[in-house]
Amino acid sequence: GASALDSIYVEVNPIPEVIIQEFDTLINYGDSDTLVGPSGFSTYNWHENEEFFGSNDSIVISPEDDSEYILYAENQNGCEGSDTANVTVQFINLNLGPDTTICKGDSVYLEGPPNMVTYLWEENGAFYSIDPSIEPSPEETSEYTLMVVDQFSVVDRDTIVIDVLPIPTVDLGPPETTIILGDTFNLVGAVDAVEWEWYKDTVLFSYKQDTLDEPIITVQYKHIATNTDECKAKDSIMVN
């Protein structure tokens, strides 16, 4: 019988080695970095968390969370290789809380996150403190900004506005006065208040705005007034 023989030479090209050049595995939140692929390939396809990201030999990244970057590169022979870069995002999550309201004379405790390398507080744009926490008592509505830096040089900022409400005007005059035994002493309360309390030493004796008393011994009068914002003010006078 007849027979025939033939052969074919098949050359198998190796899978190309694809290496993403040196990069930072840690990146600060809000910062960017560049990932660079190897040179000499025909096509480049980058993916960020399995989504197509770019087709150049390098990409600029600024992830908002931990992310995986994969580069698929094809050479002149049509063979494809790949490499992966995992990038971790560092962030602080600084939060001073919502804006708040206080009465004039009160204070607010504000605290930054623990274990920061740097703390920088500003009050209305001016330097205020480098302590981890502050307790301001502003005279008027003010804005406080904290900038922190951690051990990885991550920077974060937050701002809070403290609205300061007025207090009643309470003024009983000098801290001490003298009258003649049998005289009546006139006590005049705050005109910009809606509630009044008068104390003789420690005993509450009147809720009126203005009141009279005829002390027979040395006594201390204390007046507490409350306005429509529920802010309080007080003063006292010693009558001999």
Side-chain angles (χ1 to χ4, degrees):
S3 65
L5 179 65
D6 196 6
S7 66
I8 184 172
Y9 176 74
V10 177
E11 181 178 357
V12 178
N13 292 314
I15 296 175
E17 184 180 34
V18 175
I19 298 177
I20 300 173
Q21 294 182 23
E22 217 173 290
F23 62 93
D24 292 329
T25 57
L26 295 176
I27 186 171
N28 299 335
Y29 179 81
D31 287 353
S32 61
D33 195 12
T34 300
L35 300 182
V36 180
S39 60
F41 282 75
S42 299
T43 62
Y44 299 86
N45 284 290
W46 294 88
H47 289 75
E48 180 188 54
N49 301 324
E50 300 183 356
E51 296 289 333
F52 176 75
F53 192 81
S55 57
N56 295 324
D57 59 352
S58 65
I59 56 172
V60 177
I61 63 170
S62 183
E64 294 186 352
D65 208 342
D66 297 351
S67 296
E68 179 184 69
Y69 297 88
I70 301 177
L71 169 61
Y72 300 95
E74 187 177 295
N75 63 16
Q76 293 83 352
N77 296 322
C79 296
E80 183 182 80
S82 65
D83 192 20
T84 300
N86 290 298
V87 177
T88 300
V89 178
Q90 302 178 126
F91 50 91
I92 300 173
N93 278 339
L94 171 59
N95 184 5
L96 295 177
D99 296 344
T100 189
T101 300
I102 64 171
C103 298
K104 186 176 179 180
D106 292 344
S107 62
V108 176
Y109 181 73
L110 301 175
E111 185 177 26
N115 304 318
M116 295 292 104
V117 175
T118 301
Y119 298 86
L120 178 61
W121 294 90
E122 291 183 347
E123 180 187 53
N124 299 324
F127 171 78
Y128 187 81
S129 176
I130 56 172
D131 294 328
S133 62
I134 59 174
E135 194 168 359
S137 180
E139 293 288 309
E140 58 187 9
T141 296
S142 298
E143 180 181 83
Y144 294 87
T145 299
L146 172 61
M147 182 196 75
V148 296
V149 182
D150 71 6
Q151 60 181 329
F152 303 107
S153 298
V154 179
V155 179
D156 203 358
R157 291 176 176 84
D158 194 24
T159 297
I160 185 173
V161 175
I162 300 176
D163 187 24
V164 180
L165 299 175
I167 60 175
T169 306
V170 178
D171 185 7
L172 299 182
E176 188 171 351
T177 190
T178 300
I179 64 173
I180 298 174
L181 183 65
D183 284 354
T184 299
F185 190 67
N186 188 26
L187 297 164
V188 180
V191 297
D192 52 355
V194 293
E195 295 179 8
W196 302 267
E197 297 175 40
W198 290 97
Y199 291 84
K200 183 158 52 175
D201 291 328
T202 60
V203 179
L204 176 67
F205 77 98
S206 177
Y207 288 106
K208 297 179 180 179
Q209 177 180 346
D210 303 327
T211 189
L212 300 172
D213 195 39
E214 187 178 312
I216 58 175
I217 59 173
T218 296
V219 63
Q220 183 183 53
Y221 295 100
K222 183 171 71 172
H223 179 38
I224 300 176
T226 305
N227 62 16
T228 54
D229 293 318
E230 297 187 355
C231 291
K232 296 179 182 292
K234 63 183 179 180
D235 195 15
S236 63
I237 185 172
M238 184 73 71
V239 178
N240 298 307

